[in-house]
Structure formats: C-alpha cells, structure tokens
Amino acid sequence: MQTSRAMDRILGIADNYEIDTRLYCRYLRETDQEVGAESLKAWAGFLVGEGYAAATVNRRISAIRSRIRTLFEESGDEAFDVLALYSLERDLKRVHGMKINSKAVDPSKVLTADEVRAVIAKCSLRIGLIVEFLYTTGCRISEALGVRRKDVRRHRENVVIRIVGKGSKERVVRITVGLFSRITQTHHGKEFLFVNLSGEPYTRQYIERVVHEAGEAALGRRVTPHCLRHSFATETIERTGKIKGVSKYLGHSSTTTTMDMYNQEQLDFVEVPEL
C-alpha cells in the first residue's frame, strides 16, 4: 500500500484520535516512513526525545495502534490476509509504552511562587499567613496547626520551630524573623501559633476548604494545603539538588520516598524484547 494512500485512510477514520493521527502522519512525511509498526516504534522514541510525559506518549501509541488495526481490518487489499493481520498484531504489541512512576506527585499539584502569591491574595490575612507558612516550611497542615508557642525560638537570623510529625517523630523547620513577626502580630493565641478570631486553633477541615476556595478563585483549579508541601519540596530540590536534606526536612521515612514523589524525570522508552 502506498504511504500517501495509507495516511489518507487513517486520517479519515472516525474516532477520537484525530490530533494524534495528524502528528503521526506529519512525522511520517518528515522522515519518509510508511504507516506501520516500525514507524510507530520510531515515532514513540521521537516523542520521548521531545520530552513528552509518559501518559501522553502511551496515549498516542495506543491511538495509532488502534487506527492501524482499523486500517488493515477495513482494507480491501488482498495482500492483507489472515497471516498478514497476525503478523501486524504481533509487531504492534512489540511497540511498548513508557513506565510511569505511580508514586510521583502530579505536576498539577505543584504551584509556582507566583501562583502561591495569587492564592494568598484571595485569602484573608490570617489564612494567607498560614498558606505562606506551609509553602515556606513544607509542613503538613496538621503539623502547622499543631505548632505551640513554646515550640518556637529565635536562632540568629531565623526562627526555629519544633515540629511533631507522623509517628510522633520530631524535626525542626525554619522561617524568617519577618514572617514570624507578621504571624504573631495577627494571630494572638496564648498556646497555639495559629488561632482563629476566637483564639481557638483552626481545624484542618476549615483550612482545607478555604484554601480550596482560594485556589479556585485565583487559579481556576483545586488547591489543597498539601499542594504547598509538594511545591516547597519540588522547588527546593530543583534549587539545591539536595534530595537527602529535603527528605530529612520534610520528615520522610526515607530518601527513597522523596525520590519516588519528586523525581519528575520519566524513564526511558521501553520496548518489549523480540524473541
């Protein structure tokens, strides 16, 4: 079958893969290849090289597999008999996708500094300070709301805060003197660092709700307090490259946990080996 004719036919198949098919056909024209398993394998490698996410590469491979199958099933060309179809199916199954790290944090849950500022702008002063604290320290919301005044002390140019995390494990985080001053000028709790207008500690559910509402208003998407922890970790690893240090600062049980969550590099394209 002539390449141009095959491309015209897969472009004309009615399904939801039009964009993927046009990209594949453009690649065929640019590289002078024919529709088939070999060019699909080459195209998949090209997509990986271009930096597409694993989910995108896998979806596009699946889309073109489907169109190639439909093309040959609907073909009236006698050359494509049962044996040819069997051979085609075998070759298509050898074009494998990319492995996806299921533990990795979804990039949509990571906010930039500008996005955090936009969320803070939609919050009240009291809640905005909590958001800033979460982004600055990488604390879990329960850890932040559990900070007591007696856990805070001045250390040189920073304020050091004792955090009690999961499993009652203790660690230390730091904030600037300026942020601490703004917090204490706004939150006047006698025991807890963050308190509501009645002087009582906030509930986790309340903070989650108002942060969600602020995220929708500022960014048009769901934002949770834990997104701020993800954002702190991602930005700090990118800036310092110190994964072990960030892991300890976050209170993770091991560096492996941090690597699994915040290593956004995709694994190389994987092909099923031929027997």
Side-chain angles (χ1 to χ4, degrees):
M1 181 181 294
Q2 294 180 351
T3 300
S4 59
R5 180 183 166 198
M7 283 194 285
D8 288 342
R9 289 173 64 177
I10 65 170
L11 284 168
I13 296 171
D15 56 25
N16 296 321
Y17 305 137
E18 180 180 353
I19 294 176
D20 298 322
T21 306
R22 290 189 179 281
L23 290 173
Y24 172 61
C25 288
R26 185 173 68 183
Y27 173 78
L28 294 183
R29 294 188 187 98
E30 292 175 350
T31 59
D32 194 25
Q33 296 188 61
E34 297 182 357
V35 174
E38 285 301 314
S39 63
L40 176 57
K41 180 167 62 175
W43 185 56
F46 168 77
L47 292 175
V48 172
E50 289 293 296
Y52 285 97
T56 301
V57 174
N58 293 347
R59 190 201 72 240
R60 287 181 173 169
I61 291 173
S62 178
I64 302 307
R65 270 205 204 102
S66 176
R67 284 220 165 178
I68 291 175
R69 287 186 181 116
T70 302
L71 170 66
F72 282 88
E73 287 171 0
E74 295 181 354
S75 174
D77 196 325
E78 295 180 358
F80 301 112
D81 55 18
V82 174
L83 290 177
L85 289 172
Y86 172 81
S87 177
L88 170 68
E89 189 63 30
R90 179 197 62 197
D91 292 341
L92 287 176
K93 287 182 178 180
R94 286 176 176 167
V95 183
H96 208 264
M98 292 177 67
K99 291 182 180 179
I100 299 177
N101 180 2
S102 60
K103 296 180 182 179
V105 172
D106 190 316
S108 67
K109 295 181 179 180
V110 177
L111 280 64
T112 65
D114 285 341
E115 288 176 327
V116 174
R117 282 189 282 268
V119 171
I120 291 174
K122 294 296 182 179
C123 296
S124 67
L125 176 59
R126 306 176 79 84
I127 302 304
L129 287 167
I130 296 176
V131 170
E132 186 175 352
F133 180 89
L134 293 172
Y135 177 69
T136 300
T137 63
C139 283
R140 302 176 179 92
I141 182 59
S142 58
E143 295 171 343
L145 297 181
V147 172
R148 299 174 186 269
R149 291 281 186 138
K150 65 182 179 65
D151 297 327
V152 182
R153 63 184 175 84
R154 175 77 177 264
H155 180 69
R156 297 178 182 174
E157 300 303 318
N158 296 308
V159 171
V160 177
I161 303 171
R162 171 179 165 270
I163 298 294
V164 180
K166 286 185 176 180
S168 298
K169 292 182 179 179
E170 295 185 9
R171 69 184 193 280
V172 170
V173 300
R174 292 173 174 80
I175 61 175
T176 64
V177 173
L179 174 57
F180 179 68
S181 296
R182 285 187 285 121
I183 291 172
T184 54
Q185 288 168 10
T186 305
H187 294 264
H188 304 291
K190 294 181 180 180
E191 182 179 1
F192 290 92
L193 182 62
F194 295 109
V195 293
N196 59 27
L197 290 172
S198 300
E200 298 296 323
Y202 287 100
T203 65
R204 177 177 57 81
Q205 291 80 5
Y206 175 76
I207 300 299
E208 287 178 342
R209 179 171 62 81
V210 295
V211 170
H212 178 197
E213 291 172 352
E216 289 287 357
L219 308 176
R221 71 176 192 267
R222 179 179 176 80
V223 173
T224 68
H226 215 68
C227 289
L228 300 163
R229 178 173 166 87
H230 293 324
S231 304
F232 165 84
T234 301
E235 193 277 333
T236 306
I237 289 173
E238 289 178 352
R239 178 168 47 84
T240 68
K242 297 179 179 179
I243 295 176
K244 184 178 291 187
V246 172
S247 179
K248 183 177 180 180
Y249 197 81
L250 290 171
H252 283 164
S253 58
S254 71
T255 306
T256 301
T257 301
T258 314
M259 284 289 292
D260 285 343
M261 294 181 69
Y262 299 111
N263 180 11
Q264 297 297 333
E265 293 182 356
Q266 301 289 353
L267 297 179
D268 289 339
F269 179 68
V270 178
E271 297 178 8
V272 175
E274 295 186 5
L275 298 177

